[in-house]
């Protein structure tokens, strides 16, 4: 099983554990000259079993409208997914990846995938932190790792270092997470069945954002970024899309309503609002999603 990579080390959250290396993968070179770049085009729809091919977006004509109505479409997406992924389920204990420990869960996924979304919603309800390895279409590194771990390129893929479990299939993953970390609770009503009815709404409304690797993505940070978020937050969704399109691994600190990590977020940022991004590689911290987007595409892009 793949060992956990070194998590983000914020003094307010947890002591730094010993560095552990991710499975070897071809790295993209750091380039000294970084030019400000525009966010990528939206991608086309993709099924849970993903293809390896890259390519231009068939929905690129929607980009101007999507830019204008970005928050609006994300907000409608959130309404479509209520009540899932907004609050912690009663009696969930944050059993792994709490505010004082490193995550033991790894999730290989891509933001636009409705099946991956269902797993992320369950993690919000269970107050779980997780290392996220984005696998957009055209992924240069993480999709190869998925094939090495599980033998096929399918998403989502969960790795639980604390139990040695590795599994595909979103329904199986959700049931496993609730059995292992739900303290006897079952998934909230409709969570497992909801994907076929409303799970595709965010993917369609967001015109496939968070699906395809941006062709200017190229800089790999030494340390994982850290994102305080919860699944159904409109602004956090837009930031996660950018992280996916840039193929940037990050530690996801879920802070839905009732989260055990909310006090830690308040100490760090002075607010309970999300998203809040921390980049230990540069010292950047911000809770403004527009500043976060501008920073990510400028800092982690290949120069023109």
């Amino acid at each position: 099983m793949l060992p956990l990579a070194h998590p983000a080390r914020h003094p307010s959250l947890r002591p730094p554990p010993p560095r552990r290396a991710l499975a070897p993968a071809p790295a993209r070179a750091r380039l000294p000259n970084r030019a400000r770049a525009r966010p990528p085009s939206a991608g086309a729809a993709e099924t849970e079993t993903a293809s390896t091919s890259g390519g231009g977006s068939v929905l690129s004509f929607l980009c101007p409208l999507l830019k204008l109505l970005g928050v609006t479409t994300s907000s409608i997406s959130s309404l479509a997914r209520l009540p899932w992924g907004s609050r912690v389920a009663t009696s969930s204990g944050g059993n792994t990846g709490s505010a004082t420990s490193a995550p033991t869960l790894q999730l290989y996924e891509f933001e636009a995938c409705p099946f991956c979304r269902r797993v992320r919603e369950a993690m919000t309800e269970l107050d779980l932190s997780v290392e996220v390895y984005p696998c957009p279409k055209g992924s240069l590194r993480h999709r190869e790792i998925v094939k090495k771990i599980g033998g096929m390129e399918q998403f989502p893929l969960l790795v639980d270092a604390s139990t040695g479990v590795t599994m595909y299939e979103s329904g199986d993953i959700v049931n496993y997470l609730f059995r292992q970390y739900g303290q006897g609770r079952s998934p909230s009503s409709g969570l497992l069945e909801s994907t076929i009815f409303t799970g595709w709404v965010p993917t369609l409304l967001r015109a496939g954002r968070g699906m395809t690797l941006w062709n200017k993505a190229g800089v790999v940070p030494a340390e994982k970024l850290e994102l305080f978020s919860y699944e159904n937050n409109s602004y956090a969704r837009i930031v996660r899309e950018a992280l996916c399109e840039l193929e940037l691994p990050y530690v996801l600190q879920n802070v839905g309503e009732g989260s055990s990590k909310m006090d830690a977020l308040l100490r760090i940022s002075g607010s309970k609002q999300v998203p809040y991004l921390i980049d230990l590689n540069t010292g950047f911290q911000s809770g403004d999603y527009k500043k976060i987007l501008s920073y990510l595409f400028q800092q982690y892009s290949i120069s023109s």
Side-chain angles (χ1 to χ4, degrees):
M1 185 185 66
L2 187 69
L4 282 174
H6 183 61
R9 297 176 296 176
H10 197 286
S12 306
L13 292 178
R14 50 191 176 270
R19 182 180 297 273
R20 303 177 68 185
L22 189 64
R28 290 171 286 178
R30 293 177 180 275
L31 298 179
N33 298 319
R34 302 188 183 102
R36 180 175 296 274
R38 294 178 297 174
S41 300
E46 185 171 358
T47 60
E48 184 172 12
T49 303
S51 115
T52 59
S53 61
S57 167
V58 299
L59 296 175
S60 59
F61 67 93
L62 288 176
C63 284
L65 181 62
L66 185 60
K67 183 176 180 181
L68 178 64
L69 301 177
V71 176
T72 300
T73 57
S74 187
S75 298
I76 297 173
S77 299
S78 294
L79 289 175
R81 293 305 294 164
L82 286 175
W84 304 288
S86 297
R87 62 186 65 193
V88 175
T90 305
S91 301
S92 293
N95 306 66
T96 185
S98 68
T100 57
S101 64
T104 65
L105 298 173
Q106 296 177 332
L107 182 64
Y108 293 82
E109 53 92 67
F110 58 96
E111 178 66 25
C113 171
F115 306 100
C116 301
R117 182 176 301 114
R118 179 162 60 181
V119 172
R120 297 193 306 264
E121 288 170 346
M123 288 180 167
T124 294
E125 293 190 8
L126 292 170
D127 202 22
L128 299 176
S129 296
V130 58
E131 290 185 348
V132 176
Y133 295 90
C135 301
K137 186 176 181 180
S139 167
L140 300 179
R141 299 178 296 127
H142 297 151
R143 289 198 173 205
E144 288 300 316
I145 295 175
V146 168
K147 287 194 289 187
K148 290 179 181 178
I149 295 173
M152 56 183 174
E153 195 170 315
Q154 179 173 306
F155 306 97
L157 171 68
L158 178 76
V159 177
D160 189 342
S162 66
T163 62
V165 166
T166 298
M167 63 170 56
Y168 293 105
E169 300 296 342
S170 59
D172 293 342
I173 293 173
V174 169
N175 283 322
Y176 167 78
L177 291 173
F178 272 87
R179 284 196 311 270
Q180 188 69 26
Y181 302 110
Q183 298 184 349
R185 290 185 60 84
S186 298
S188 60
S189 177
L191 178 60
L192 290 173
E193 295 79 18
S194 63
T195 300
I196 60 174
F197 297 108
T198 65
W200 289 95
V201 173
T203 301
L204 296 174
L205 285 174
R206 297 295 296 152
R209 293 305 299 261
M211 177 174 292
T212 304
L213 180 71
W214 190 30
N215 59 6
K216 292 185 182 294
V219 180
V220 181
E223 300 281 353
K224 289 183 181 64
L225 281 63
E226 186 166 17
L227 178 67
F228 286 82
S229 168
Y230 62 86
E231 177 57 31
N232 210 23
N233 181 275
S234 303
Y235 300 98
R237 176 183 293 106
I238 298 173
V239 171
R240 293 194 309 267
E241 289 169 350
L243 290 167
C244 183
E245 290 167 355
L246 289 165
E247 202 185 12
L248 294 173
Y250 60 98
V251 175
L252 175 60
Q253 303 283 3
N254 275 304
V255 283
E257 182 181 343
S259 171
S260 62
K261 296 180 285 292
M262 193 63 76
D263 288 340
L265 173 60
L266 182 60
R267 288 195 304 270
I268 294 167
S269 68
S271 170
K272 294 184 178 182
Q273 299 299 311
V274 298
Y276 192 82
L277 182 76
I278 301 170
D279 188 350
L280 293 179
N281 300 280
T282 63
F284 175 86
Q285 298 187 37
S286 179
D288 184 325
Y289 84 99
K290 292 182 180 179
K291 291 181 179 178
I292 294 172
L293 293 177
S294 177
Y295 167 79
L296 289 174
F297 281 106
Q298 179 177 358
Q299 183 69 22
Y300 293 110
S301 299
I302 297 175
S303 57
S304 299

